Amino acid sequence: MRTFWGLMKAYWFSERWKEAWTLTVVIALLTALSSKAGVWFALALGELGNSIAFFHDAANTSPLQAILTNAGILVLLVVLKDAGFTGVRGLVSATLHRKWRGWLNSQFNKALLDGNHTHFHAQHGSAAGGIVAPDNIDQRIQESIKDMTGGAIGLAMGVLGVATSLYFIGENLIGSSVEVKGLEFLGGYGSAVLAFLAVAIYVPLNTWIAVKLGRLLERLNIRMQQAEGSYRSELTTFLRRSFHVAASHGEDVQKSMHDKLYVDIDKTWGKLNVVNNGYTSFELIYNFLGARIVAYGPGLVSFIHNRLDYKGYITGSEMVAQLISQCSWFIHVMPAIATLRANSQRVTELANAIENVQHPQAFYSQTGQSDFHYASQNPVFGLTIQKLELAHQGEDATPFLSAANLRFRRGEWTFLKGESGCGKTSLIKAINGLWPYGRGTIVFPEGVKSFYAAQEVKLQQVSLKQLVCLPGSEHDHGDAQVASALHKAGLGDFIEHMANESREGKSWDQVLSGGQKQKLVVARIILQQPGLLFLDEATGALDPEGKIAFHQAIKDNCPDVTVISVMHEAVAPRSAAGTEFYHSIVLIADGVATKKPLTPTLPVELTTILTQPRPVEDKWLRFSRRLKQK
């Protein structure tokens, strides 16, 4: 689906090809019947015109009856054509539109949300490196696919209509053709040749004009989609950070951002309106000249020289008008073609971006050094990092963090410490394959489940149970297991609501406080029982007691887990009893990460005494007695 035609035909050659082709064949049959009904309509119109013209003819014994009969037949044909063939075809084509769009939507969602984290990598293009990340991915999937599929079906029906009309109308024109004075060498095909010649000259000339205007429309449509997408994206982001805007009184700044983005929409829209209205005027003039001048011209010569009666003249002229109308399909739908091409370009760009990042390291190697190696080893040896260097974009970028050799044993808790911006989170991202540039080897313990816990998970319209079950499905765990995890994490009050997607009309992202969201992280960890746990500032919104409870819940419920944690605290938290949660520390200083055991602390007895609310003298006496007893 990386090219226009590849995108157009993918559905028809997919696993749902029977559905696609069945609907297509039905549409084709209804289109052919509609075209044939157009011929019947032209013949009936000729009969009606003839009955009107000879209303006062002495040979016409029942003029009123003839008019009423022909008018009735004409009405029935209109109903059959428009409400029957065309109406049913519209319903079938709408069904095809819905099915095709649904299939494409599922394919792009499947591709973006794969295990390769494609949705993440696809947004990391570099203009400097010649790889531009697709803007407004949401709009491309939602609006562009919808408009593209609808436009393509409409255009395909138009092409089929042209083909069937050429056959049926052309057959009738040839069958009713007469000799034309001055063109006797053409025999009885004179009037048909003139009709085809008029269509062949008039339609292509105006189609060329339509193409020129269509290219301008296409460029403006692409620009309009980009502008609309950027504005909508900013509105969505603003609503998500609404509290922060209110707290900082940033409404004026936010308003100026909106105004600036809307200026682009307004300017592009103004240009688009000018071109669209100019095209509409061109099309109206074209339609009038084609239906009333060009269509009635070819048969006029034969009618003047009395080689064609009035009925034949009217019928033939209406046939030519029908033929011009059908062959002008390209002109009538040029704005739709411009929109289709704009939408398809947006979708194929996204398809190309998805394809480009299927091998992330090869993708990132185009704009910098990306040479990470991931392997596995016996879980006894834990997690090992060798010769790791992290850098930013650019072939000559200097590494900002290096780690010669780091090893994390099974069950070991390690605290990452360093100044803000030194690369603590980048190190965790690199271990998990989410840092683009650098090199090194990361060896995971084989068969051990890994879990990356950030401060919160921002997912809308999902139940509390689904949030707790992440990254798995809510069907992977029973209600009792989830309820137990929520209770142990300190969220027992929400157990009765865990099947709901919202509470009091608000999503869980809005219901839960910062601290509760981080307790939700604990519930997820307890439920998933990982063997390797990465905590990326997962306790940032908790008070000291909450941080202790957070760690204690993991310690009590995941006894053999290996923990690597990033926190802003200068000292790693301890339990309420004064014991250390963490066994080692990775210190990042001057761009180098080194690992060592935590500095020996006070004896457990002294730590316990110091945490008890008793007089200092009494604590020291008790401590001395314990030492003597030992």
Side-chain angles (χ1 to χ4, degrees):
M1 295 189 288
R2 301 176 65 188
T3 64
F4 175 79
W5 289 113
L7 187 64
M8 291 296 106
K9 68 183 182 181
Y11 174 53
W12 280 261
F13 292 91
S14 70
E15 71 285 355
R16 289 166 60 177
W17 63 272
K18 290 182 180 179
E19 170 187 270
W21 284 107
T22 299
L23 292 170
T24 302
V25 169
V26 172
I27 290 171
L29 290 173
L30 290 170
T31 300
L33 289 171
S34 181
S35 296
K36 186 64 176 177
V39 175
W40 298 335
F41 177 83
L43 292 172
L45 189 63
E47 289 288 348
L48 178 62
N50 190 62
S51 61
I52 294 173
F54 290 93
F55 184 85
H56 298 291
D57 193 299
N60 193 350
T61 58
S62 53
L64 185 59
Q65 181 182 352
I67 290 177
L68 293 176
T69 300
N70 289 326
I73 293 173
L74 193 64
V75 171
L76 288 175
L77 285 173
V78 170
V79 172
L80 177 66
K81 179 177 181 294
D82 294 339
F85 301 145
T86 305
V88 174
R89 184 186 67 170
L91 178 60
V92 177
S93 65
T95 302
L96 178 60
H97 182 196
R98 178 169 56 86
K99 298 288 187 181
W100 184 15
R101 180 202 174 185
W103 182 82
L104 275 175
N105 186 77
S106 68
Q107 296 304 302
F108 275 94
N109 274 287
K110 188 187 301 181
L112 281 169
L113 299 169
D114 60 3
N116 183 52
H117 307 303
T118 294
H119 64 95
F120 173 79
H121 298 302
Q123 300 179 71
H124 286 76
S126 168
I131 304 172
V132 181
D135 64 277
N136 305 305
I137 292 177
D138 58 329
Q139 183 200 47
R140 293 171 189 257
I141 292 178
Q142 203 272 327
E143 292 180 8
S144 297
I145 287 180
K146 177 185 176 183
D147 294 341
M148 180 197 72
T149 49
I153 291 171
L155 296 180
M157 289 192 301
V159 171
L160 188 59
V162 170
T164 53
S165 293
L166 280 172
Y167 176 78
F168 291 123
I169 296 175
E171 180 185 44
N172 194 277
L173 282 174
I174 292 173
S176 60
S177 181
V178 296
E179 187 178 86
V180 177
K181 186 176 182 180
L183 297 175
E184 288 83 1
F185 64 93
L186 294 175
Y189 296 108
S191 63
V193 170
L194 281 181
F196 289 133
L197 188 62
V199 174
I201 294 174
Y202 184 68
V203 174
L205 176 62
N206 286 277
T207 299
W208 178 81
I209 298 172
V211 168
K212 294 295 184 181
L213 292 172
R215 288 175 180 170
L216 181 57
L217 283 171
E218 179 185 344
R219 290 194 294 271
L220 288 172
N221 268 299
I222 292 174
R223 181 60 197 147
M224 190 67 175
Q225 288 188 31
Q226 291 172 338
E228 291 278 12
S230 297
Y231 186 61
R232 187 183 68 181
S233 178
E234 177 56 36
L235 284 174
T236 303
T237 304
F238 152 64
L239 292 173
R240 288 178 180 173
R241 62 176 184 232
S242 179
F243 168 77
H244 302 287
V245 173
S248 61
H249 297 280
E251 283 82 2
D252 287 341
V253 175
Q254 187 70 45
K255 181 178 177 297
S256 66
M257 291 171 61
H258 292 174
D259 291 343
K260 182 179 179 181
L261 287 170
Y262 194 81
V263 166
D264 195 16
I265 293 177
D266 188 64
K267 288 182 178 179
T268 307
W269 197 358
K271 294 176 182 178
L272 195 58
N273 285 341
V274 171
V275 179
N276 269 325
N277 281 281
Y279 194 92
T280 300
S281 299
F282 158 74
E283 190 176 3
L284 289 172
I285 295 171
Y286 170 83
N287 289 339
F288 174 79
L289 293 176
R292 293 291 170 260
I293 305 299
V294 178
Y296 280 78
L300 186 61
V301 178
S302 299
F303 178 72
I304 291 173
H305 290 89
N306 208 26
R307 295 183 180 180
L308 192 64
D309 59 14
Y310 182 75
K311 173 186 172 182
Y313 175 54
I314 294 296
T315 301
S317 298
E318 286 298 322
M319 290 282 186
V320 176
Q322 287 270 355
L323 188 61
I324 290 175
S325 176
Q326 293 294 336
C327 291
S328 302
W329 159 84
F330 198 76
I331 294 173
H332 297 322
V333 299
M334 182 54 67
I337 291 175
T339 303
L340 170 64
R341 288 179 59 85
N343 282 310
S344 64
Q345 181 176 326
R346 303 275 288 169
V347 178
T348 53
E349 283 176 355
L350 178 57
N352 278 294
I354 290 173
E355 184 65 27
N356 289 339
V357 299
Q358 290 310 296
H359 301 285
Q361 290 200 46
F363 170 71
Y364 289 120
S365 294
Q366 299 176 65
T367 54
Q369 185 184 43
S370 184
D371 189 22
F372 296 104
H373 300 279
Y374 296 89
S376 60
Q377 62 186 2
N378 192 302
V380 172
F381 300 107
L383 172 69
T384 303
I385 297 172
Q386 300 171 341
K387 299 180 180 178
L388 183 70
E389 291 184 346
L390 303 184
H392 293 293
Q393 189 181 98
E395 292 291 341
D396 301 324
T398 303
F400 63 84
L401 176 62
S402 62
N405 190 16
L406 300 177
R407 180 184 171 190
F408 304 91
R409 304 186 311 275
R410 183 169 59 182
E412 179 183 9
W413 288 43
T414 303
F415 174 48
L416 270 61
K417 182 178 180 181
E419 297 179 353
S420 295
C422 68
K424 300 187 294 295
T425 295
S426 300
L427 176 59
I428 290 184
K429 288 181 177 179
I431 295 172
N432 286 275
L434 297 174
W435 186 261
Y437 302 107
R439 63 181 180 180
T441 301
I442 297 97
V443 186
F444 281 89
E446 189 174 15
V448 174
K449 183 189 293 185
S450 178
F451 191 102
Y452 191 126
Q455 291 189 29
E456 56 181 295
V457 177
K458 290 184 176 294
L459 289 177
Q460 308 292 324
Q461 298 180 349
V462 293
S463 67
L464 181 60
K465 181 182 178 181
Q466 178 65 81
L467 287 173
V468 179
C469 292
L470 287 171
S473 166
E474 60 183 335
H475 305 296
D476 296 338
H477 304 278
D479 289 350
Q481 291 175 294
V482 176
S484 176
L486 285 169
H487 176 72
K488 291 175 181 178
L491 295 173
D493 293 341
F494 296 100
I495 290 175
E496 61 180 312
H497 305 288
M498 66 182 184
N500 301 333
E501 292 184 358
S502 61
R503 189 176 179 186
E504 298 177 355
K506 296 181 179 179
S507 66
W508 288 107
D509 185 54
Q510 297 172 307
V511 171
L512 299 176
S513 66
Q516 288 172 333
K517 289 176 182 177
Q518 296 186 339
K519 289 180 181 180
L520 182 63
V521 173
V522 177
R524 293 172 57 212
I525 293 169
I526 293 173
L527 186 66
Q528 297 295 334
Q529 288 291 301
L532 185 58
L533 175 61
F534 299 92
L535 300 176
D536 187 1
E537 299 183 19
T539 61
L542 297 174
D543 57 23
E545 291 182 0
K547 291 175 183 178
I548 292 173
F550 181 99
H551 286 82
Q552 192 66 56
I554 297 173
K555 196 80 170 180
D556 293 342
N557 294 282
C558 307
D560 296 323
V561 66
T562 300
V563 178
I564 301 174
S565 178
V566 173
M567 289 182 287
H568 284 302
E569 286 76 6
V571 179
R574 299 172 183 171
S575 71
T579 57
E580 297 284 1
F581 288 118
Y582 290 88
H583 308 101
S584 57
I585 183 171
V586 170
L587 180 63
I588 301 177
D590 299 324
V592 178
T594 54
K595 182 172 178 284
K596 61 182 180 180
L598 278 173
T599 304
T601 58
L602 295 171
V604 175
E605 292 86 348
L606 179 56
T607 305
T608 302
I609 291 172
L610 291 174
T611 57
Q612 294 175 349
R614 296 180 181 178
V616 176
E617 295 83 2
D618 190 30
K619 295 177 183 177
W620 280 108
L621 287 172
R622 290 177 182 274
F623 176 61
S624 299
R625 288 172 188 169
R626 291 179 184 174
L627 289 179
K628 287 178 181 179
Q629 290 173 358
K630 291 184 177 181

